[in-house]
């Protein structure tokens, strides 16, 4: 490095000399430790840039190359050289406008920034619970990103929980399939986040600050040594599907030879490695939020988290009424009255409130202004569903109509892409909705990647295989439910839509027993599209409202069923959707999860198990000392292993010194509310 600074490399002799000595003279090495010193990033530059990560002195990420390839510019490979570097320490606190895991986030890290001679920089951050890096560019003109190198190298025997996909055109609603790293090839591709189990730690790969760029996916490497970042190139030709899906499905049939065309002066998305010794530590990791672009929406005092009564899961099936249930004014007034009676903040008008393909039209027997007026009189907000494609084509008029109708939020759906064009459309929706003081709940979407901090009105999103999959598949199992918190939920809130009151027995806990099909390994669960059931116990469904994070939490079942099951429904309706504090009680990926969450002075506990019955201790040391709490408990009934709707509820007085026993049936749950007694 110093030799280059002292030479005039414009002369032919010096250019030749530089070429001869480049491999050794350009070699640079940096170390960056986390604030507590337990995580160390080693960055090496020797004709190319690579980094590795160790935790507690043990390697968790082997040397992995990174680069940003810009059309017409040199990459980070030689003869590009390092021109400067710097380190800094940051220590502060963040106060999220919409609390998810906590009201306050400690934000402390050490940062290494390296500037290169090609107007590109790379910044690394080391936190006590992970590592992140991002590229920055400093050009006075627009640039075209043709490719990005993002290697994640591990031991070939390490296990990756892989959200396997068939193509970039996807709702990103996947199961997490375990593979040995060495089993993967470039033909294996996954959306993110994905989790790698190394010998010494868990490493979750995701991203944040995704803006004006394509989202990162992962595929296997040619040599079986790790994962490689891959990106959907910019779409150049799209063809809407014919028939019933013409208003929402627009597959890409041709793509450009670049990822993005963008401004030359910018920061690119953060590549995140969330690192945990224990599975449970992943549940409190907030790097996706910490590394996001701060609030761009201005005043957010109007944003109100809450629960939603949802219509589509049960196909608007209500009963015990003197009108025909369906897509009509009377049905939605019934939903609104139910929400008002139970203190539920919102009702969604899902597919069917407008003539498909025209967000400006009306539907016979469906008076939307009357529905919204009735909701306002009851203190209930209305959220309107929309196909993203129709919304795109009628954007300004549709957004204005939503506001004029008095809707408090929108639920755009069926995006199925995260290339640069679609990512930018997400940002456009978020900004336009914020201007009109409307919430946004993205469905058919990619995972959270920072937009929720930049526009806090983006209050939740799907991108998860949720409860609705029980309507057409056998895949939304208890094991799946106990996997999601450790992978998908680390990226951010997930609109799983819990709360089924029709419950059945799903897969049996038989070991080493092969079945001809998934259907063979079920007890009394069956697929029913318009009257669906869960593959879990009743209390498992109730506990999801505490375990699963979504500031806009849908209660999926029919109001008629909830009124029949008033005891369970009234408990769920009182579960907050945002939290001041989160404590992990137990956690093991795919087996069980138990969390305690605080809202005000009240604590809630939610516990889920897979297909195995368990008994877990619940130490109450998270409660305030010297305070007596009244606890209301729901647990699996004695016969929940035969009749999944069986449950038991009781109350008692407890203190922080007590330890309760949580008895969980197969696919069971436990949930409780702890309220301090008044002095």
């Amino acid at each position: 490095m110093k030799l280059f600074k002292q030479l005039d490399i414009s002369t032919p002799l010096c250019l030749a000399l530089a070429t001869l000595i480049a491999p050794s003279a350009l070699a640079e090495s940096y170390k960056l430790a986390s604030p507590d010193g337990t995580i160390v990033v080693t960055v090496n530059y020797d004709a190319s840039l690579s980094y590795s990560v160790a935790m507690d002195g043990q390697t968790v990420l082997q040397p992995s190359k990174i680069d940003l390839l810009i059309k017409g510019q040199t990459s980070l490979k030689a003869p590009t050289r390092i021109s400067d570097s710097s380190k800094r320490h940051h220590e502060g606190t963040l106060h999220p406008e919409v609390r998810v895991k906590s009201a306050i986030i400690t934000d402390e890290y050490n940062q290494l920034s390296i500037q290169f001679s090609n107007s590109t920089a790379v910044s690394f951050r080391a936190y006590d619970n992970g590592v992140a890096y991002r590229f920055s560019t400093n050009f006075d003109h627009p640039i075209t990103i043709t490719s990005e190198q993002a290697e994640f190298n591990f031991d070939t025997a390490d296990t990756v929980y892989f959200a396997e996909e068939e193509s970039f055109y996807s709702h990103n609603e996947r199961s997490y399939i375990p593979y040995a790293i060495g089993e993967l090839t470039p033909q294996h591709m996954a959306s993110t986040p994905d989790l790698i189990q190394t010998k010494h730690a868990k490493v979750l790969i995701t991203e944040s600050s995704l803006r004006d760029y394509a989202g990162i996916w992962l595929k296997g490497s040619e040599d079986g040594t790790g994962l490689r970042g891959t990106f959907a190139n910019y779409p150049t030709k799209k063809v809407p599907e014919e028939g019933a899906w013409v208003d929402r499905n627009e597959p890409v049939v041709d793509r450009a030879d670049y990822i993005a065309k963008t401004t030359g002066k910018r920061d690119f998305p953060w590549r995140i490695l969330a690192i945990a010794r224990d599975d449970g530590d992943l549940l409190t990791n907030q790097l996706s939020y910490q590394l996001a672009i701060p609030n761009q929406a201005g005043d957010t005092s109007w944003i109100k988290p809450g629960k939603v009564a949802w219509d589509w899961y049960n196909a608007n099936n209500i009963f015990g009424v003197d009108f025909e249930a369906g897509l009509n004014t009377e049905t939605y007034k019934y939903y609104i009255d139910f929400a008002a009676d139970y203190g539920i903040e919102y009702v969604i008008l899902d597919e069917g409130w407008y003539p498909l393909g025209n967000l400006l039209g009306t539907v016979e027997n469906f008076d939307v202004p009357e529905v919204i007026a009735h909701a306002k009189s009851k203190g209930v907000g209305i959220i309107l569903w929309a196909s993203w494609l129709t919304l795109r084509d009628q954007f300004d008029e549709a957004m204005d109509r939503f506001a004029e109708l008095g809707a408090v939020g929108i639920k755009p759906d069926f995006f199925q892409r995260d290339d640069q064009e679609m990512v930018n459309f997400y940002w456009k929706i978020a900004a336009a909705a914020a201007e009109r003081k409307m919430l946004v709940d993205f469905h058919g979407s990619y995972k959270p990647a920072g937009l929720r901090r930049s526009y806090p009105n983006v209050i939740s999103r799907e991108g998860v295989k949720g409860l609705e999959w029980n309507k057409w598949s056998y895949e939304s199992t208890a094991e799946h439910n106990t996997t999601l918190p450790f992978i998908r939920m680390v990226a951010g809130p997930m609109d799983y839509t819990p709360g089924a009151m029709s419950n059945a027995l799903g897969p049996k806990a038989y070991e080493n027993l092969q079945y001809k099909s998934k259907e063979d390994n079920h007890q009394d669960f069956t697929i029913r599209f318009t009257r669906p059931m869960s593959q879990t116990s009743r209390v498992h469904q109730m506990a999801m409202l505490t375990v699963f994070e979504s500031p806009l939490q849908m209660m999926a079942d029919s109001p008629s069923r909830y009124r029949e099951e008033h005891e369970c429904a009234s408990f769920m309706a009182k579960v907050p959707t945002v939290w001041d504090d989160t404590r992990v009680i137990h956690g093991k990926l795919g087996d069980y999860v138990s969390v305690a969450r605080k809202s005000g002075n009240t604590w809630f506990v939610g516990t889920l198990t897979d297909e195995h019955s368990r008994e877990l201790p619940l130490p109450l040391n998270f409660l305030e000392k010297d305070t007596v709490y009244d606890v209301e408990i729901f647990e699996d009934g004695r016969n929940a292993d035969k009749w999944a709707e069986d449950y038991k509820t009781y109350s008692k007085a407890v203190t922080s010194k007590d330890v309760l026993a949580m008895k969980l049936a197969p696919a069971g749950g436990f949930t409780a509310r702890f309220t301090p007694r008044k002095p």
Side-chain angles (χ1 to χ4, degrees), residues 70-332:
I70 305 171
K71 187 176 182 179
Q73 305 293 331
T74 58
S75 71
L76 296 184
K77 294 180 174 61
T80 299
R81 64 190 187 278
I82 294 174
S83 58
D84 198 6
S85 65
S86 61
K87 288 185 178 181
R88 70 182 179 94
H89 173 75
H90 172 81
E91 186 173 353
T93 55
L94 302 177
H95 300 267
E97 288 87 355
V98 177
R99 309 183 311 279
V100 178
K101 301 176 189 290
S102 61
I104 299 174
I105 301 172
T106 299
D107 188 43
E108 185 178 8
Y109 58 83
N110 290 321
Q111 178 167 307
L112 166 67
S113 296
I114 304 173
Q115 287 76 43
F116 292 86
S117 60
N118 65 346
S119 297
T120 300
V122 183
S123 296
F124 292 87
R125 287 186 184 176
Y127 296 80
D128 292 341
N129 59 353
V131 169
Y133 74 87
R134 73 175 175 192
F135 297 102
S136 302
T137 53
N138 188 28
F139 295 97
D140 292 328
H141 52 80
I143 56 176
T144 299
I145 309 300
T146 58
S147 184
E148 179 183 335
Q149 183 179 24
E151 292 186 355
F152 304 94
N153 290 325
F154 299 93
D155 189 284
T156 57
D158 290 343
T159 299
V160 57
Y161 293 87
F162 204 63
E164 192 163 9
E165 303 271 7
E166 287 76 43
S167 75
F168 286 118
Y169 190 70
S170 171
H171 292 287
N172 294 169
E173 300 172 14
R174 296 285 155 166
S175 299
Y176 293 93
I177 303 171
Y179 284 98
I181 288 288
E183 292 180 310
L184 297 178
T185 71
Q187 284 65 53
H188 292 90
M189 185 173 73
S191 49
T192 54
D194 298 287
L195 181 67
I196 299 87
Q197 172 67 64
T198 75
K199 294 177 182 178
H200 309 293
K202 289 81 182 169
V203 181
L204 181 133
I205 300 173
T206 189
E207 65 183 327
S208 191
S209 290
L210 175 59
R211 184 176 190 178
D212 196 27
Y213 201 70
I216 190 169
W217 295 45
L218 298 174
K219 62 181 181 179
S221 63
E222 291 282 358
D223 58 4
T225 59
L227 303 169
R228 302 290 180 262
T230 186
F231 305 84
N233 281 4
Y234 194 88
T236 55
K237 184 177 181 182
K238 297 157 288 183
V239 179
E241 287 189 8
E242 299 294 333
W245 305 107
V246 70
D247 75 310
R248 63 197 66 183
N249 286 0
E250 190 182 60
V252 177
V253 295
D254 196 18
R255 293 187 182 273
D257 60 355
Y258 59 86
I259 296 172
K261 290 186 175 181
T262 185
T263 181
K265 292 182 183 291
R266 63 163 295 178
D267 296 321
F268 286 81
W270 286 101
R271 310 291 170 224
I272 299 174
L273 286 79
I275 303 173
R277 293 179 184 82
D278 301 314
D279 293 5
D281 294 337
L282 292 163
L283 302 181
T284 52
N285 191 297
Q286 304 204 60
L287 291 181
S288 176
Y289 183 90
Q290 291 167 251
L291 289 159
I293 298 168
N295 177 22
Q296 308 287 294
D299 174 47
T300 59
S301 60
W302 55 272
I303 296 174
K304 181 182 177 183
K307 284 179 292 299
V308 187
W310 189 29
D311 52 353
W312 189 84
Y313 178 72
N314 267 288
N316 303 87
N317 276 321
I318 56 177
F319 49 87
V321 297
D322 57 3
F323 57 85
E324 183 178 356
L327 295 168
N328 55 51
T329 303
E330 290 80 9
T331 297
Y332 282 92

Side-chain angles (χ1 to χ4, degrees), residues 530-669:
T530 58
R531 292 185 63 186
M533 56 177 64
S534 75
Q535 300 180 59
T536 69
S537 77
R538 166 70 57 79
V539 183
H540 185 109
Q541 290 291 312
M542 296 175 65
M544 284 179 177
L545 275 80
T546 297
V547 176
F548 288 174
E549 296 167 356
S550 179
L552 197 68
Q553 188 78 276
M554 293 196 195
M555 289 176 59
D557 222 317
S558 163
S560 300
R561 284 289 285 138
Y562 282 136
R563 288 190 184 278
E564 280 189 336
E565 303 292 347
H566 172 76
E567 189 172 50
C568 298
S570 60
F571 180 91
M572 289 190 294
K574 294 181 178 68
V575 178
T577 63
V578 292
W579 305 98
D580 296 319
D581 193 9
T582 294
R583 308 284 181 88
V584 180
I585 310 299
H586 301 284
K588 186 176 181 183
L589 173 72
D591 289 345
Y592 52 86
V593 58
S594 181
V595 295
R597 301 192 193 268
K598 185 181 183 183
S599 177
N601 294 320
T602 303
W603 284 88
F604 290 76
V605 168
T607 304
L608 311 175
T609 186
D610 62 359
E611 69 274 17
H612 296 274
S613 60
R614 303 181 191 278
E615 183 168 333
L616 298 172
L618 176 58
L620 303 184
N621 51 11
F622 55 86
L623 299 176
E624 292 291 331
K625 295 180 180 179
D626 303 320
T627 301
V628 176
Y629 287 78
D630 292 311
V631 56
E632 182 181 5
I633 295 171
F634 283 78
E635 64 183 23
D636 295 320
R638 178 65 180 82
N639 296 295
D641 60 337
K642 304 179 186 68
W643 185 265
E645 294 178 2
D646 188 30
Y647 72 91
K648 175 183 178 181
T649 183
Y650 58 95
S651 299
K652 61 189 301 184
V654 296
T655 70
S656 62
K657 297 179 181 179
D658 291 321
V659 178
L660 303 180
M662 298 184 288
K663 297 180 179 180
L664 308 168

Side-chain angles (χ1 to χ4, degrees), residues 306-583:
K307 284 179 292 299
V308 187
W310 189 29
D311 52 353
W312 189 84
Y313 178 72
N314 267 288
N316 303 87
N317 276 321
I318 56 177
F319 49 87
V321 297
D322 57 3
F323 57 85
E324 183 178 356
L327 295 168
N328 55 51
T329 303
E330 290 80 9
T331 297
Y332 282 92
K333 284 186 174 181
Y334 182 92
Y335 270 84
I336 291 163
D337 291 344
F338 159 73
D341 289 346
Y342 281 77
I344 296 170
E345 291 84 355
Y346 301 106
V347 168
I348 193 163
L349 274 58
D350 215 294
E351 181 175 349
W353 71 270
Y354 67 88
L356 295 180
N358 183 14
L359 281 161
L360 309 179
T362 58
V363 174
E364 186 178 2
N365 298 321
F366 203 150
D367 190 331
V368 175
E370 183 179 341
V371 168
I372 293 179
H374 183 70
K376 287 184 177 180
S377 73
K378 297 282 188 173
V380 175
I382 295 295
I383 296 170
L384 299 175
W385 178 91
S387 159
W388 81 273
L389 187 54
T390 308
L391 179 60
R392 183 199 66 186
D393 293 343
Q394 299 180 319
F395 190 76
D396 292 330
E397 300 92 335
M399 294 298 292
D400 287 343
R401 187 189 184 206
F402 300 156
E404 290 165 3
L405 286 170
V408 300
I410 58 173
K411 178 189 170 185
D413 200 353
F414 285 92
F415 293 89
Q416 302 179 84
R417 288 165 38 207
D418 68 349
D419 49 48
Q420 183 193 25
E421 181 182 65
M422 189 61 85
V423 167
N424 287 347
F425 188 46
Y426 275 60
W427 282 75
K428 181 179 180 179
I429 293 171
E435 290 173 3
R436 295 164 174 81
K437 291 184 167 51
M438 290 193 296
L439 305 174
V440 182
D441 179 17
F442 288 114
H443 269 232
S445 63
Y446 61 88
K447 84 282 181 184
L451 184 55
R452 65 189 175 102
R453 181 179 176 191
S454 308
Y455 283 92
N457 59 310
V458 177
I459 197 165
S460 192
R461 72 168 70 197
E462 197 178 28
V464 63
K465 181 178 286 184
L467 185 73
E468 67 182 13
W469 275 72
N470 288 305
K471 291 165 67 74
W472 58 78
S473 85
Y474 293 86
E475 297 180 33
S476 192
T477 64
E479 181 178 5
H480 175 68
N481 297 341
T482 53
T483 299
L484 291 174
F486 303 95
I487 306 179
R488 167 58 182 83
M489 202 167 78
V490 181
M494 55 184 197
D495 196 7
Y496 179 98
T497 69
M501 293 291 98
S502 294
N503 316 109
L505 300 171
K508 299 177 183 178
Y510 293 149
E511 302 292 347
N512 303 317
L513 187 60
Q514 298 298 315
Y515 292 88
K516 295 179 181 179
S517 68
K518 293 177 182 178
E519 293 88 338
D520 293 333
N521 188 19
H522 282 71
Q523 299 170 76
D524 61 351
F525 172 82
T526 189
I527 293 173
R528 303 187 310 188
F529 190 83
T530 58
R531 292 185 63 186
M533 56 177 64
S534 75
Q535 300 180 59
T536 69
S537 77
R538 166 70 57 79
V539 183
H540 185 109
Q541 290 291 312
M542 296 175 65
M544 284 179 177
L545 275 80
T546 297
V547 176
F548 288 174
E549 296 167 356
S550 179
L552 197 68
Q553 188 78 276
M554 293 196 195
M555 289 176 59
D557 222 317
S558 163
S560 300
R561 284 289 285 138
Y562 282 136
R563 288 190 184 278
E564 280 189 336
E565 303 292 347
H566 172 76
E567 189 172 50
C568 298
S570 60
F571 180 91
M572 289 190 294
K574 294 181 178 68
V575 178
T577 63
V578 292
W579 305 98
D580 296 319
D581 193 9
T582 294
R583 308 284 181 88

